[in-house]
C-alpha cells in the first residue's frame, strides 16, 4: 500500500469512529456540551477587544463552530472594520493584505474580483455555497452586502466537493440582528465616483420573534479607462423568523445590476510593458467604440437558512440558494499579437459579442453535534450537498481583424464594423454534483485531531446544438486530516494533509474541448499559531507543499488548451499586534510555483508579496492608517510563443484619515497613493498586457443610528 493510500486510511478512522459513537451519546445526560443555534449573523469581535486579530473568531467556512486558533488548517478572516479602514471597494480590494492571497493579479477589471490563493485560482463561495460557474456571466458580489470574508487556504474538496487546490474565498452575507441599528453612507471619489448606501436592521416586534435587515447601494462611476463606466445598484433585504427558541428560518433576497464596459483592454505589449519608440499606450487607453461597447449584467438570487436544535447538543442546518444571472458583452480589443510600433500605431481590432445566462441551485444540509466521550470532546458534522448549474452563451461572435482599425497611440473613434457580425448560439454547459461528507474535530486535552472524508458524484455535460451531448462523469473520494498540540503559553504547532479535485471545461465551448481530465492534487502543511495570553499579539506561520495534476494551461497555440502538472511550495506569515491606541498587521508570502515538466514558473503568480497595515487612534476622535504593499515580479504565460515576459515588481502605498464625532464618521482613503502606473499581467511574449489599479481616493461620510 502506497503512502497516499495509508494516509487516506488514517484520516478515515476518527470520522468513522465518531459515527458509531453518535447513538449512545444521544442517550447520555450532558451537563456542558449543549449546542445553541448559530447567531443570526456573523459579527466581528469588539474592536477594542481583538481588533484585526482573528484567531479567536469562528469562521463559517469550516462548517464547524471552532475558532481558527484551534484548527490545524490555515484560515484567514477579513472583517468589516478592516475593509472600512483600508477603503476596500470590492472583494479584490479587501484581500490585498491577506497573506497567501494574490489579489488584483489581473489588474483593474470590471468583470471579476481577481485573486489567487497559494498560486492557484481560488473557488468563490457565498454563505458556504459555490456562486461562480462559467465566466463573465454574472455580477460580482457587492462587498457592502457582506459581514465578512473568509479564506480557507489549501484544498477544500472534503468540505465543498469540487474545489481548487490553493483554497477558496467565502463571503458571509449580512443578515438581521436583534439589536436595532443602521447607517447611511455617502461616498465621492476619483473618476467621478458617486455612491450612496444604507444598512438598517432590528426587530419587527417587541418579542424579537421577527427580525429584518435591508441593505442597499447605488453607484455612478467612471474608471481609470476612458469611456468605461462602472455603474450599478444592489438591494438586499432579509427576514428572520425565530419560530421557537430551537428553530429559526431566515430568507435573504439579493438583486444586483451593473452597467458599463470592460476595463480590461488587452493592450499590446509593444507600447505598455515595452515602451515603444513610436509612442506610449497609457492605462487610460480605450480601444473600443463608445456607445457600442458594453458589459451589462444582472443577478437575482434567493437564499434560505434553516436551523433546528433537535437535542441539547445536536443541530440540523440547511442553506439553499437559487441564482439567475445574465450578461450582455460587446467589446473590441487589439488583434493578438500586434506590433503598433511597426505600423505607426495603427492596428486591427477584434470585435466580440456574447449574451450569457446562468441558473444555479445549491443546497447544503448537515447535522452537527458536540459531545464528550471519555477524555475526548467531539465536534462532529455529517452532511450532504448538491450543486446544479447551467450556463449558456447566445449571440456569440468573435471576429479577428473584423473590428476596424485604431491608432493605439492616439485613439480616434467611429470606425465601427458591426455589419460583419453573424452571431451564433454556442453549446450550453451543465454541472451536477452530489456529495456526502463527515468531519470530526476531536479535542483530547491539549491535543486536537481534525479529520474528514467525502465522496462526490459529479457530471459535466455539454449540450450539443446538434448530435449527442458530451458527458464527463466522475466519482471522487477526498479527505483531510490535521493534528495540533496547544501549549499553555498560547503556542500551537500543527501538521495537516488535504486533497482536492475539480472538473474541467474547455475554454472554447466546443464538445471536443470538454473531454478534459479532472484536476487533482494534494497539500501537506506544517504551521504554528500563537495567541498571547492577553490576546494582543497573534502570529501564524505555515509552510505548504502542493502537488497538482492535470492543471489547465494555455496550449501550444493561442486559444488552445493543455493539461500539465504543477508544484507549489512556500510559506506564509501574519503578525498582528495591538496596543491601546495602535494596531499593526504584517503579512508575507513566499512561493515557488513551477510547471512540473518544464520547471518554468507558473504564469500570473507573484512569488513574493509583503504587506504592512497600521492604524493609530489620536485622542478620542481622530485616527490615521497607512499601508505598504510589495508585489514581487511575475511572468506571463507562454501562450504559444515560448516563455512569457517578466513583469517587474511594484511597491504601492495606501493611506486613511478618519474623524468621528457623536453619530458621524468621516474618512478619506487612498489606494496607490503615489499613482504608480504599472503592468500587472501579460500573456505570451509580444502578446497583450493589462494595467494595475491607479491612484483611487474617496471621501466618505457615515451617519449611524
Amino acid at each position: 500500500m502506497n503512502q497516499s493510500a495509508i494516509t487516506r486510511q488514517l484520516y478515515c478512522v476518527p470520522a468513522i469512529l465518531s459515527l458509531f459513537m453518535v447513538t449512545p451519546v444521544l442517550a447520555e445526560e450532558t451537563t456542558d456540551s449543549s449546542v445553541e443555534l448559530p447567531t443570526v449573523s456573523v459579527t466581528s469581535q469588539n474592536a477594542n477587544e481583538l481588533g484585526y486579530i482573528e484567531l479567536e473568531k469562528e469562521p463559517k467556512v469550516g462548517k464547524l463552530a471552532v475558532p481558527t486558533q484551534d484548527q490545524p488548517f490555515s484560515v484567514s478572516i477579513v472583517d468589516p472594520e478592516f475593509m472600512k479602514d483600508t477603503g476596500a471597494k470590492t472583494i479584490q480590494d479587501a484581500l490585498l493584505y491577506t497573506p497567501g492571497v494574490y489579489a488584483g493579479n489581473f489588474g483593474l477589471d470590471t468583470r471579476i474580483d481577481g485573486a489567487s490563493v497559494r498560486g492557484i485560482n481560488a473557488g468563490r463561495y457565498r454563505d458556504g455555497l459555490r456562486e461562480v460557474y462559467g465566466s463573465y456571466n454574472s455580477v460580482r458580489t457587492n462587498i457592502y452586502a457582506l459581514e465578512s470574508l473568509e479564506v480557507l487556504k489549501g484544498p477544500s474538496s472534503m468540505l465543498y466537493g469540487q474545489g481548487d487546490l490553493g483554497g477558496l474565498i467565502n463571503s458571509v452575507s449580512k443578515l438581521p440582528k436583534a439589536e436595532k441599528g443602521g447607517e447611511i453612507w455617502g461616498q465621492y471619489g476619483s473618476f467621478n465616483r458617486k455612491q450612496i448606501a444604507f444598512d438598517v436592521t432590528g426587530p419587527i416586534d417587541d418579542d424579537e420573534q421577527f427580525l429584518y435587515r435591508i441593505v442597499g447601494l447605488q453607484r455612478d462611476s467612471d474608471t481609470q479607462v476612458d469611456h468605461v463606466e462602472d455603474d450599478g445598484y444592489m438591494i438586499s433585504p432579509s427576514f428572520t423568523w425565530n419560530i421557537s427558541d430551537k428553530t429559526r428560518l431566515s430568507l435573504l433576497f439579493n438583486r444586483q445590476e451593473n452597467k458599463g464596459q470592460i476595463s480590461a483592454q488587452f493592450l499590446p505589449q509593444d507600447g505598455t510593458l515595452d515602451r515603444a519608440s513610436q509612442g506610449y499606450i497609457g492605462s487610460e487607453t480605450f480601444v473600443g467604440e463608445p456607445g457600442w461597447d458594453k458589459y451589462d449584467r444582472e443577478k437575482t438570487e434567493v437564499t434560505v437558512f434553516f436551523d433546528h436544535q433537535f437535542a441539547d447538543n445536536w443541530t440540523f442546518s440547511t442553506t439553499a440558494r437559487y441564482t439567475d444571472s445574465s450578461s450582455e458583452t460587446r467589446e473590441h480589443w487589439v488583434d493578438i499579437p500586434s506590433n503598433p510600433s511597426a505600423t505607426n500605431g495603427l492596428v486591427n481590432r477584434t470585435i466580440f459579442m456574447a449574451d450569457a445566462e446562468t441558473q444555479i441551485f445549491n443546497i447544503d444540509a448537515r447535522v452537527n453535534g458536540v459531545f464528550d466521550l471519555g477524555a475526548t470532546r467531539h465536534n462532529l458534522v455529517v452532511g450532504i450537498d448538491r450543486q446544479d448549474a447551467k450556463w449558456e452563451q447566445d449571440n456569440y461572435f468573435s471576429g479577428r481583424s473584423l473590428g476596424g482599425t485604431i491608432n493605439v497611440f492616439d485613439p480616434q473613434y467611429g470606425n465601427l464594423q458591426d455589419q460583419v457580425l453573424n452571431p451564433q448560439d454556442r453549446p450550453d454547459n451543465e454541472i451536477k454534483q452530489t456529495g456526502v461528507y463527515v468531519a470530526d474535530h476531536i479535542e483530547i486535552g491539549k491535543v486536537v485531531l481534525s479529520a474528514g472524508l467525502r465522496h462526490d458524484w459529479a457530471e459535466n455535460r455539454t449540450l450539443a446544438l446538434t448530435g449527442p451531448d458530451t458527458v464527463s462523469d466522475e466519482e471522487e473520494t477526498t479527505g483531510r486530516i490535521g493534528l495540533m498540540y496547544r501549549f499553555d503559553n498560547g503556542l500551537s504547532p500543527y501538521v495537516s494533509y488535504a486533497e482536492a479535485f475539480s472538473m474541467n471545461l474547455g475554454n472554447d465551448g466546443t464538445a471536443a474541448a470538454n473531454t478534459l481530465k479532472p484536476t487533482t492534487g494534494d497539500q501537506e502543511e506544517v504551521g504554528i499559531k500563537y495567541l498571547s495570553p492577553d490576546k494582543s499579539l497573534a502570529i501564524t506561520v505555515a509552510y505548504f507543499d502542493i502537488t497538482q495534476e492535470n492543471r489547465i494551461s494555455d496550449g501550444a497555440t493561442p486559444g488552445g488548451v493543455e493539461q500539465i502538472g504543477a508544484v507549489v511550495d512556500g510559506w506564509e506569515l501574519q503578525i498582528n499586534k495591538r496596543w491601546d491606541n495602535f494596531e499593526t498587521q504584517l503579512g508575507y508570502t513566499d512561493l515557488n510555483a513551477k510547471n512540473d515538466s518544464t520547471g518554468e514558473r507558473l504564469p500570473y503568480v507573484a512569488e513574493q508579496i509583503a504587506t504592512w497595515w497600521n492604524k493609530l487612534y489620536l485622542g478620542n476622535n481622530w485616527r490615521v492608517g497607512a499601508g505598504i504593499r510589495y508585489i514581487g515580479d511575475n511572468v506571463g504565460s507562454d501562450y504559444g510563443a515560448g516563455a512569457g515576459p517578466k513583469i517587474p515588481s511594484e511597491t504601492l502605498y495606501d493611506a486613511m484619515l478618519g474623524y468621528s464625532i457623536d453619530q458621524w464618521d468621516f474618512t478619506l482613503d487612498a489606494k496607490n497613493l503615489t499613482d504608480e502606473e504599472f503592468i500587472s499581467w501579460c500573456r505570451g511574449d509580444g502578446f497583450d498586457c493589462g494595467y494595475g489599479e491607479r491612484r483611487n481616493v474617496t471621501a466618505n461620510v457615515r451617519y449611524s443610528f
Side-chain angles (χ1 to χ4, degrees):
M1 184 178 294
N2 59 34
Q3 183 178 0
S4 177
I6 294 172
T7 305
R8 293 183 182 183
Q9 296 295 326
L10 287 174
Y11 59 60
C12 291
V13 172
I16 294 173
L17 287 175
S18 296
L19 284 175
F20 284 103
M21 297 169 187
V22 170
T23 302
V25 170
L26 279 171
E28 292 178 0
E29 290 277 329
T30 58
T31 57
D32 61 351
S33 60
S34 62
V35 172
E36 295 181 357
L37 285 175
T39 56
V40 172
S41 60
V42 177
T43 57
S44 61
Q45 297 280 352
N46 188 303
N48 293 326
E49 295 176 357
L50 293 179
Y52 302 151
I53 294 177
E54 61 192 40
L55 286 183
E56 284 206 333
K57 301 171 185 177
E58 296 180 356
K60 295 293 184 182
V61 73
K63 298 188 179 181
L64 292 168
V66 178
T68 59
Q69 68 172 342
D70 293 328
Q71 296 192 27
F73 309 102
S74 291
V75 182
S76 290
I77 302 173
V78 184
D79 65 20
E81 190 71 17
F82 191 86
M83 299 179 198
K84 176 182 173 182
D85 289 343
T86 57
K89 301 170 185 63
T90 61
I91 291 176
Q92 177 174 302
D93 280 353
L95 296 171
L96 290 173
Y97 285 87
T98 302
V101 179
Y102 179 20
N105 50 343
F106 292 105
L108 176 72
D109 196 330
T110 51
R111 300 172 299 176
I112 60 172
D113 289 301
S116 63
V117 179
R118 294 184 170 175
I120 301 171
N121 288 335
R124 302 306 173 86
Y125 287 72
R126 185 170 184 181
D127 299 315
L129 302 175
R130 183 177 171 184
E131 68 171 350
V132 176
Y133 295 83
S135 57
Y136 316 131
N137 52 17
S138 183
V139 189
R140 65 207 294 189
T141 296
N142 194 298
I143 195 172
Y144 191 62
L146 304 181
E147 195 72 55
S148 64
L149 285 171
E150 303 170 339
V151 182
L152 176 59
K153 303 173 189 177
S156 55
S157 285
M158 183 257 118
L159 291 168
Y160 294 97
Q162 297 190 58
D164 295 295
L165 273 162
L168 65 84
I169 299 166
N170 181 54
S171 53
V172 181
S173 299
K174 290 179 176 178
L175 290 174
K177 297 181 179 180
E179 182 179 355
K180 183 178 180 181
E183 72 167 14
I184 299 174
W185 171 32
Q187 183 183 77
Y188 181 80
S190 299
F191 313 113
N192 200 29
R193 180 184 180 94
K194 301 180 289 291
Q195 181 171 280
I196 188 166
F198 65 90
D199 179 4
V200 183
T201 188
I204 297 176
D205 61 322
D206 293 338
D207 295 332
E208 298 182 357
Q209 184 179 12
F210 300 101
L211 312 175
Y212 79 97
R213 190 165 190 170
I214 304 177
V215 183
L217 179 146
Q218 173 78 43
R219 180 181 62 254
D220 182 279
S221 180
D222 298 329
T223 68
Q224 69 188 43
V225 181
D226 293 342
H227 307 290
V228 173
E229 300 170 329
D230 185 22
D231 304 336
Y233 76 85
M234 176 270 296
I235 185 72
S236 184
S238 55
F239 171 80
T240 293
W241 177 19
N242 291 311
I243 302 172
S244 70
D245 59 350
K246 297 182 181 297
T247 306
R248 184 177 61 246
L249 176 69
S250 294
L251 180 67
L252 170 66
F253 176 82
N254 180 50
R255 168 69 180 176
Q256 289 183 237
E257 185 173 335
N258 281 16
K259 292 184 178 295
Q261 295 75 30
I262 293 176
S263 58
Q265 292 294 293
F266 310 107
L267 301 171
Q269 182 179 327
D270 178 43
T272 54
L273 182 66
D274 301 331
R275 297 303 171 97
S277 58
Q278 299 295 321
Y280 169 64
I281 307 172
S283 58
E284 75 285 352
T285 304
F286 177 68
V287 298
E289 285 294 328
W292 190 87
D293 282 47
K294 67 177 179 178
Y295 181 53
D296 296 343
R297 54 274 190 214
E298 61 182 18
K299 175 171 68 175
T300 303
E301 58 188 2
V302 179
T303 309
V304 177
F305 306 85
F306 178 77
D307 299 287
H308 174 66
Q309 183 178 330
F310 58 86
D312 286 343
N313 54 345
W314 290 90
T315 304
F316 172 77
S317 301
T318 299
T319 306
R321 180 171 62 236
Y322 177 77
T323 302
D324 188 288
S325 63
S326 63
S327 66
E328 295 182 20
T329 305
R330 306 291 184 270
E331 185 183 9
H332 290 78
W333 61 77
V334 176
D335 283 1
I336 303 170
S338 291
N339 184 9
S341 292
T343 57
N344 293 320
L346 196 66
V347 295
N348 291 320
R349 294 183 299 185
T350 297
I351 189 169
F352 174 84
M353 68 179 295
D355 297 338
E357 292 187 7
T358 307
Q359 295 86 38
I360 305 166
F361 175 73
N362 286 345
I363 186 169
D364 180 275
R366 57 203 177 274
V367 174
N368 177 258
V370 178
F371 56 89
D372 295 327
L373 186 65
T376 65
R377 161 153 289 214
H378 297 255
N379 192 325
L380 176 72
V381 62
V382 180
I384 181 171
D385 58 27
R386 169 78 176 181
Q387 49 182 306
D388 194 334
K390 177 183 178 181
W391 63 98
E392 56 192 70
Q393 275 191 334
D394 301 326
N395 294 325
Y396 178 92
F397 181 85
S398 181
R400 179 179 170 85
S401 300
L402 296 180
T405 59
I406 195 168
N407 188 325
V408 291
F409 300 133
D410 184 21
Q412 304 295 319
Y413 306 107
N415 189 13
L416 179 61
Q417 306 291 315
D418 64 336
Q419 69 273 11
V420 304
L421 271 60
N422 182 26
Q424 305 289 328
D425 291 347
R426 300 188 103 190
D428 300 341
N429 290 298
E430 284 186 341
I431 282 183
K432 297 179 184 295
Q433 178 183 317
T434 302
V436 292
Y437 59 89
V438 56
D440 196 5
H441 178 91
I442 306 170
E443 298 184 5
I444 314 168
K446 298 178 181 179
V447 177
V448 172
L449 176 63
S450 184
L453 188 68
R454 178 189 179 100
H455 189 79
D456 281 289
W457 296 265
E459 176 187 287
N460 280 17
R461 180 182 295 269
T462 299
L463 306 177
L465 297 175
T466 59
D469 296 342
T470 300
V471 181
S472 175
D473 284 308
E474 299 288 343
E475 285 190 45
E476 196 76 28
T477 299
T478 53
R480 69 173 187 170
I481 184 169
L483 182 66
M484 171 184 280
Y485 188 85
R486 301 171 294 181
F487 289 97
D488 292 335
N489 61 3
L491 199 65
S492 300
Y494 69 91
V495 295
S496 65
Y497 171 84
E499 298 170 326
F501 87 102
S502 179
M503 303 282 280
N504 288 312
L505 292 174
N507 65 356
D508 66 356
T510 64
N514 287 293
T515 58
L516 299 168
K517 298 177 182 177
T519 298
T520 60
D522 55 50
Q523 174 192 267
E524 299 171 351
E525 180 174 334
V526 179
I528 298 174
K529 300 182 181 183
Y530 174 75
L531 181 63
S532 64
D534 64 357
K535 302 177 183 179
S536 68
L537 173 64
I539 302 173
T540 59
V541 59
Y543 171 81
F544 52 89
D545 191 337
I546 297 173
T547 302
Q548 188 178 35
E549 297 179 0
N550 296 318
R551 172 191 177 101
I552 296 294
S553 173
D554 292 333
T557 59
V561 176
E562 66 175 354
Q563 293 187 270
I564 65 172
V567 291
V568 182
D569 64 81
W571 61 281
E572 303 159 355
L573 170 69
Q574 180 171 329
I575 301 174
N576 287 85
K577 176 60 181 174
R578 177 182 54 81
W579 288 272
D580 289 339
N581 59 351
F582 179 69
E583 188 161 10
T584 187
Q585 176 173 303
L586 178 69
Y588 181 75
T589 305
D590 190 293
L591 292 176
N592 179 36
K594 305 291 184 185
N595 182 316
D596 194 21
S597 58
T598 66
E600 294 181 354
R601 290 177 59 178
L602 296 182
Y604 320 126
V605 176
E607 294 192 333
Q608 289 186 319
I609 300 176
T611 61
W612 188 19
W613 176 259
N614 304 272
K615 181 172 69 171
L616 174 66
Y617 287 93
L618 302 172
N620 296 324
N621 304 102
W622 291 93
R623 63 190 186 278
V624 295
I628 181 171
R629 293 179 280 129
Y630 170 79
I631 305 169
D633 60 45
N634 71 85
V635 298
S637 67
D638 57 21
Y639 207 58
K646 184 176 181 179
I647 293 89
S649 61
E650 282 293 335
T651 301
L652 306 172
Y653 302 91
D654 306 322
M656 178 271 291
L657 176 65
Y659 178 81
S660 298
I661 183 170
D662 298 327
Q663 295 168 277
W664 294 91
D665 184 73
F666 305 88
T667 56
L668 184 69
D669 57 71
K671 289 200 176 308
N672 190 359
L673 190 61
T674 57
D675 198 19
E676 296 295 317
E677 188 176 38
F678 65 100
I679 296 295
S680 62
W681 65 270
C682 290
R683 257 180 289 207
D685 198 15
F687 282 63
D688 55 336
C689 299
Y691 281 100
E693 187 175 4
R694 299 287 298 271
R695 178 169 56 210
N696 198 319
V697 181
T698 57
N700 306 272
V701 56
R702 289 178 170 87
Y703 178 78
S704 300
F705 51 89

